[in-house]
Amino acid sequence: MLEMRPDCESCGKDLAASESGAHICSFECTFCDDCNTAMHKGTCPNCGGILLPRPTRSMALLEKFPASTERKYKS
């Protein structure tokens, strides 16, 4: 099950698990659309993997399987 990390690792933008707009690699490094487009261009800066759109999780499933609250952004 995906962690559904709550923020972009590059800029710190909040990324809700129930909304589109996040991109992840196979290690779940997580980035917003803007950072992916402007800086990373589809390649994870941490591992070199491909960044793909992260699926969303419905609100009903978020109640049973909540998203991670651990933020990865380091200013």
Side-chain angles (χ1 to χ4, degrees), residues 23-49:
H23 292 264
I24 61 172
C25 70
S26 64
F27 289 98
E28 294 190 60
C29 301
T30 305
F31 304 94
C32 68
D33 279 332
D34 293 337
C35 289
N36 179 49
T37 301
M39 293 188 285
H40 309 313
K41 303 190 184 335
T43 302
C44 179
N46 300 326
C47 69

Side-chain angles (χ1 to χ4, degrees), residues 50-64:
I50 298 169
L51 292 173
L52 297 171
R54 179 180 75 184
T56 58
R57 189 171 294 163
S58 71
M59 294 305 290
L61 287 174
L62 279 169
E63 290 178 17
K64 188 173 182 180

Side-chain angles (χ1 to χ4, degrees), residues 2-25:
L2 294 174
E3 289 181 21
M4 306 298 279
R5 294 178 182 170
D7 63 334
C8 174
E9 292 183 35
S10 290
C11 71
K13 178 181 179 178
D14 290 337
L15 298 170
S18 61
E19 298 175 10
S20 61
H23 292 264
I24 61 172
C25 70

